[in-house]
Structure formats: structure tokens, C-alpha cells
Amino acid sequence: MRYEFFLQLVKEDLEKRLGDDYIITLQTIPKNNGVIRDGLSISKTGESVSPTIYLNDWYQKLLEGEPLPQICHQIHQLYLTDPNLPYLDSQVLSSYESVKEHIAYKLINTQANGSLLKKLPHIPFHDMSLICYLLMKQHENSYITAFIYKEHLKAWKIREKELFLAAIQNTPRLLPPVIQPMNDVLKQLSIEMLGDSYQDTPFDILLEAATEYRIQENTLFPTLYVLTNPVRINGAACMAYPHVVKDFAESRNQDIIILPSSIHEVLLVEDDGHYDYEDMSRLVGEINRSEVPPEDRLSNQVYRYSRESGQITVVSHGTSLAGITNQ
């Protein structure tokens, strides 16, 4: 079944199930790095809230053999029972005063988002760009995000400077920086994933064994630190916060290498002068290609903070991220 036909059939099925009191529209929603998501926007007559259900993954289930009626039933049940479906009240966007405290900025790759950036206010940051978005808390542990377009600025009658001033003030407040050793982050993620099944001792033994192996084999493997924010959403932007990397460098008494793990976090490494930046860049590119979802990729480059200059610079000549976004 062709994808476009699938979208239309799901829309028509949900219209029958929900009835005339609901308005259902198919929307094409641009994401980071040229990734496009197709969603069903569902609104009840007289209400301004429209939850969205993305259909791309459901089509993949169809290709894997799941019957269409069963998929339609599951989508219907998802709408009826899941309180965490992403939604944005359309009335919120009508007033700058109602959103200005929720404006934040994030980093995306410039070359991989050329078409999108024509529509967005942005500021260059090396091979990346700072863009503004809305960060609205939806439930206790979930957030809804939405790009801020140039057309919003026209409706709000504000300039880009005012928009970015709000973002610069808000972002460290809404999403304060967090720096943790990689081992601590892995342990925390394991606890979150396994819950009551998590056992502290086996994890610690594994980390100790890895450390002992590196010592025995004389393997140079640096201590990695993860820089992100408490909710791990668009945390790579923390590298652009004033003084965050600077203060970390001073605390370690070393210049700092910055590796872009994804749009949600970067890795910090103390630079002792023995690292090959091009090798590190190739490793970042390989990980992007094999491990990071296309819409979460940030860059293949390696960055370095110099205590002498007080600046972050690009120190590699990695391949373009745009070339791998569709892989």
C-alpha cells in the first residue's frame, strides 16, 4: 500500500470512529535535518486544543505485516486514552505576552537545515545555528515544543533581537545546565529503564572491569562528561550558555574538547594535547550515521574551548552532516 493512501485511509477511519463533532486534518510537520513527520491533528468542535498523532511509525508497522484495521483501532484507542499526546493550544500563539516566558533556543546544523532556516529567525554558531522555539510543559514529565517562525514575529510585531533576548534570558532558567561523568549518566539511565529490576552491584562491577581493562591494556580512554539539561531536551545548546564551558575548563585546569553527541547533549573531554581531532571527528560521524536518529544529529565536527582565548572554535574538517541525514 502506498504511503499517501495509508494516510488517507487512517484519516477517514478516525473520522468515522469519532463522528461529526471532531475535525481531523493531515499535517506535514518539518523536523530537524530535513526530516518530515506526517501527523493527524484532532480537534473537537469549539475547542482550540489539537493533539497530534504521528503516523510514520504506524506505516512501518503496516509494512511489517500488522493489519490496517488493527492499526486504526490502536490509533483510535491512543487518542482516547493517552493523556501525553503532544498538543498546543492555538490561542497561545496569538499573543507574544502569553509565550515570551516560554521561548528558548536550541542548536541545529546549518547546512542540513538550509530550507528550514529560510523560514526561521536564527543566529550562526560555527557550523550550527541558534534557533528559537516554544517550550511548554504539558504534563509532569512531558513537554511540547514548536518552532518559532518569522511569520510569528510579524504577528507579534516584534523584531528578531527582542525574540533572542527573551530566549537568552529564559533558556538557562528553563533548562539549566547539568554536567555529569558519563558513568553516572549511564547508571542513571539504567535505573530509569530497569526500575525495580535495577541492581547496583552488577553495574558497578561492569564499570570497574572496564576501568581495569583500560589500565592493563594501557588503553588511553578519557573521562567523558555529559553536558545537557535536567530534562535532556535540546541540551546541546548548553555549550552556548555564557560561562558554562569556561567554568568547567577552569575547574579542570584544562582546555576542553566538545564532541556533539546529538541535539540533546554534548560530551566534554579534557584536552591534554594528545588527541587527533580529525580521528575524533570521524568517530563522531560514524556514531551519527549508525546510532543517532536523523532528526537528532547535530554535527560531525569537533570543537575546542581555549582558556587563553576564552573562545570555542572548530578544530576539525569533518564531513557534512547533510550528506548522512537520510541514511
Side-chain angles (χ1 to χ4, degrees):
M1 181 184 298
R2 291 182 58 187
Y3 179 60
E4 294 78 9
F5 190 38
F6 165 78
L7 296 178
Q8 193 60 40
L9 287 177
V10 173
K11 175 179 179 292
E12 292 175 359
D13 181 272
L14 202 57
E15 287 174 336
K16 292 178 182 178
R17 292 174 186 267
L18 293 177
D20 295 336
D21 290 337
Y22 290 83
I23 300 173
I24 303 173
T25 55
L26 280 169
Q27 294 188 338
T28 299
I29 303 168
K31 297 291 186 177
N32 188 40
N33 294 333
V35 174
I36 301 295
R37 299 294 184 214
D38 295 294
L40 282 178
S41 177
I42 307 168
S43 60
K44 194 170 184 178
T45 303
E47 295 183 357
S48 57
V49 174
S50 301
T52 299
I53 298 177
Y54 294 108
L55 298 178
N56 306 72
D57 292 341
W58 292 100
Y59 182 66
Q60 185 60 41
K61 289 186 177 183
L62 180 74
L63 296 179
E64 293 171 357
E66 191 161 339
L68 180 62
Q70 184 173 328
I71 289 175
C72 291
H73 173 73
Q74 290 175 359
I75 292 174
H76 179 234
Q77 291 302 306
L78 178 67
Y79 172 72
L80 295 178
T81 61
D82 190 347
N84 295 314
L85 286 175
Y87 67 85
L88 185 63
D89 190 331
S90 59
Q91 293 182 351
V92 170
L93 291 169
S94 64
S95 166
Y96 177 64
E97 291 299 316
S98 65
V99 300
K100 68 178 183 179
E101 296 298 320
H102 303 280
I103 294 172
Y105 66 74
K106 66 179 179 179
L107 282 171
I108 64 174
N109 187 271
T110 299
Q111 189 172 357
N113 290 281
S115 298
L116 180 63
L117 288 172
K118 293 177 182 179
K119 305 173 185 178
L120 303 178
H122 61 279
I123 296 175
F125 187 82
H126 303 298
D127 64 321
M128 302 170 287
S129 291
L130 288 167
I131 65 167
C132 294
Y133 68 103
L134 288 183
L135 179 70
M136 309 289 287
K137 193 165 187 177
Q138 184 175 351
H139 299 287
E140 183 177 354
N141 295 312
S142 65
Y143 294 79
I144 182 73
T145 65
F147 289 138
I148 295 178
Y149 288 86
K150 292 178 180 179
E151 62 188 45
H152 290 130
L153 272 61
K154 293 180 181 179
W156 295 336
K157 297 180 180 179
I158 65 169
R159 297 184 177 182
E160 289 190 14
K161 181 178 180 181
E162 185 174 352
L163 177 73
F164 276 99
L165 283 176
I168 290 169
Q169 292 174 354
N170 292 339
T171 310
R173 171 180 59 83
L174 295 171
L175 300 169
V178 176
I179 300 177
Q180 295 178 284
M182 175 66 84
N183 287 354
D184 291 354
V185 174
L186 293 176
K187 186 172 183 177
Q188 181 180 345
L189 289 174
S190 297
I191 293 173
E192 292 175 2
M193 291 175 63
L194 297 176
D196 294 338
S197 300
Y198 174 80
Q199 296 183 26
D200 191 66
T201 302
F203 187 89
D204 290 337
I205 291 175
L206 180 63
L207 293 178
E208 290 174 5
T211 301
E212 184 177 347
Y213 171 81
R214 291 198 299 269
I215 295 173
Q216 291 177 349
E217 299 296 324
N218 195 26
T219 303
L220 285 177
F221 192 84
T223 299
L224 297 176
Y225 296 86
V226 179
L227 170 59
T228 184
N229 54 52
V231 296
R232 302 186 191 120
I233 296 175
N234 300 321
C238 294
M239 70 181 285
Y241 290 7
H243 303 296
V244 169
V245 178
K246 174 182 181 295
D247 291 347
F248 181 73
E250 294 299 333
S251 71
R252 310 306 299 178
N253 198 31
Q254 288 275 18
D255 296 339
I256 299 297
I257 298 170
I258 305 171
L259 304 176
S261 176
S262 77
I263 61 172
H264 302 300
E265 69 281 311
V266 296
L267 304 180
L268 307 179
V269 184
E270 297 174 28
D271 189 2
D272 61 5
H274 293 92
Y275 295 111
D276 186 315
Y277 303 136
E278 301 303 333
D279 283 347
M280 297 181 94
S281 176
R282 282 190 286 272
L283 178 60
V284 170
E286 290 173 4
I287 293 174
N288 270 329
R289 187 177 296 106
S290 62
E291 303 296 334
V292 183
E295 66 187 79
D296 288 344
R297 296 168 185 167
L298 180 59
S299 175
N300 289 335
Q301 303 298 349
V302 173
Y303 310 88
R304 180 176 182 271
Y305 173 80
S306 167
R307 288 176 299 153
E308 181 178 354
S309 68
Q311 300 292 323
I312 294 174
T313 58
V314 181
V315 291
S316 65
H317 301 85
T319 56
S320 167
L321 185 66
I324 64 169
T325 53
N326 294 321
Q327 295 184 18

